[in-house]
Amino acid sequence: INPSKTEFMLLKSRHSKTTLNFSIRFGNSEISPAPSVKLLGVTVDSNLIWDKHISLVVRRCYCVLIGLARMRRRIPRQTRQLLIEALVFPHLRYCMSVWGSCGVTLRKRLQKCINFGVRIVMDLSRSDRVTQHRRELGWLHIDELVCERDLHIMYRVLNAANAPELIRRHITYRADT
């Protein structure tokens, strides 16, 4: 283990007031718990509330969206749509099955990114409603994206030949209850 690259964190309830003076010693190095750790591109905090991860996702999305918004009059509508689907939606979808259980407030922040993308593609002002235009583009609401991802995973568990049997055994069908 390389102590300079090693991190760890203690998971606890955000309501827990206890603070532990806990550290791990490797030779001459001492490693203290971190408040958050980045793991495979997902920022996990010690309370599992996902606010740091969502903030990073929103920041990445807005960097792309603001750049496109400045050039939107010079780019055809379908190209704008394709760019947003290629450069923004992967950030929204990445590891959604992990952070998809985040709170309503955090999902609203993600939805604002999608709405901003709709405004760029459809050349709308800030005051224009986007729901109908979002549907016209075929883009889902953030809650629908999370649900779609969960349903896709469930479909694969039920139908894929290489799906883990351990997971299949824990599924109860409605007809069996």
Side-chain angles (χ1 to χ4, degrees), residues 86-128:
L87 299 174
V88 174
F89 278 89
H91 291 292
L92 296 173
R93 290 180 189 266
Y94 182 70
C95 283
M96 189 180 288
S97 54
V98 174
W99 59 260
S101 63
C102 69
V104 174
T105 306
L106 295 175
R107 284 197 308 270
K108 282 183 181 178
R109 292 182 65 200
L110 295 166
Q111 184 60 47
K112 285 182 180 182
C113 290
I114 295 171
N115 294 349
F116 187 29
V118 171
R119 287 186 173 93
I120 292 168
V121 172
M122 303 304 266
D123 203 16
L124 304 172
S125 70
R126 281 186 169 191
S127 60
D128 291 332

Side-chain angles (χ1 to χ4, degrees), residues 14-29:
R14 65 180 154 183
H15 303 296
S16 175
K17 302 287 187 212
T18 58
T19 56
L20 299 172
N21 293 331
F22 182 79
S23 61
I24 298 175
R25 212 162 191 31
F26 284 111
N28 296 332
S29 300

Side-chain angles (χ1 to χ4, degrees), residues 29 45 50 53 66 69-71 82 91 95 103 122 125 152 159 164:
S29 300
D45 68 348
W50 306 111
H53 177 73
I66 289 170
R70 290 179 180 156
M71 302 183 311
L82 184 65
H91 291 292
C95 283
M122 303 304 266
S125 70
H152 177 74
N159 296 307

Side-chain angles (χ1 to χ4, degrees), residues 146-164 167-168 171 173:
V146 171
C147 186
E148 177 190 57
R149 176 66 184 155
D150 292 345
L151 290 172
H152 177 74
I153 290 171
M154 186 56 109
Y155 177 82
R156 286 182 57 199
V157 164
L158 293 173
N159 296 307
N162 61 350
I167 295 174
R168 277 191 199 163
I171 295 174
Y173 291 91

Side-chain angles (χ1 to χ4, degrees), residues 56-95:
L56 288 170
V57 169
V58 167
R59 188 177 320 140
R60 286 185 203 124
C61 292
Y62 274 115
C63 285
V64 172
L65 291 168
I66 289 170
L68 285 172
R70 290 179 180 156
M71 302 183 311
R72 74 175 165 221
R73 298 216 181 2
R74 290 179 253 159
I75 301 172
R77 178 181 167 244
Q78 267 143 357
T79 305
R80 290 185 300 231
Q81 180 179 353
L82 184 65
L83 285 170
I84 291 171
E85 289 172 354
L87 299 174
V88 174
F89 278 89
H91 291 292
L92 296 173
R93 290 180 189 266
Y94 182 70
C95 283

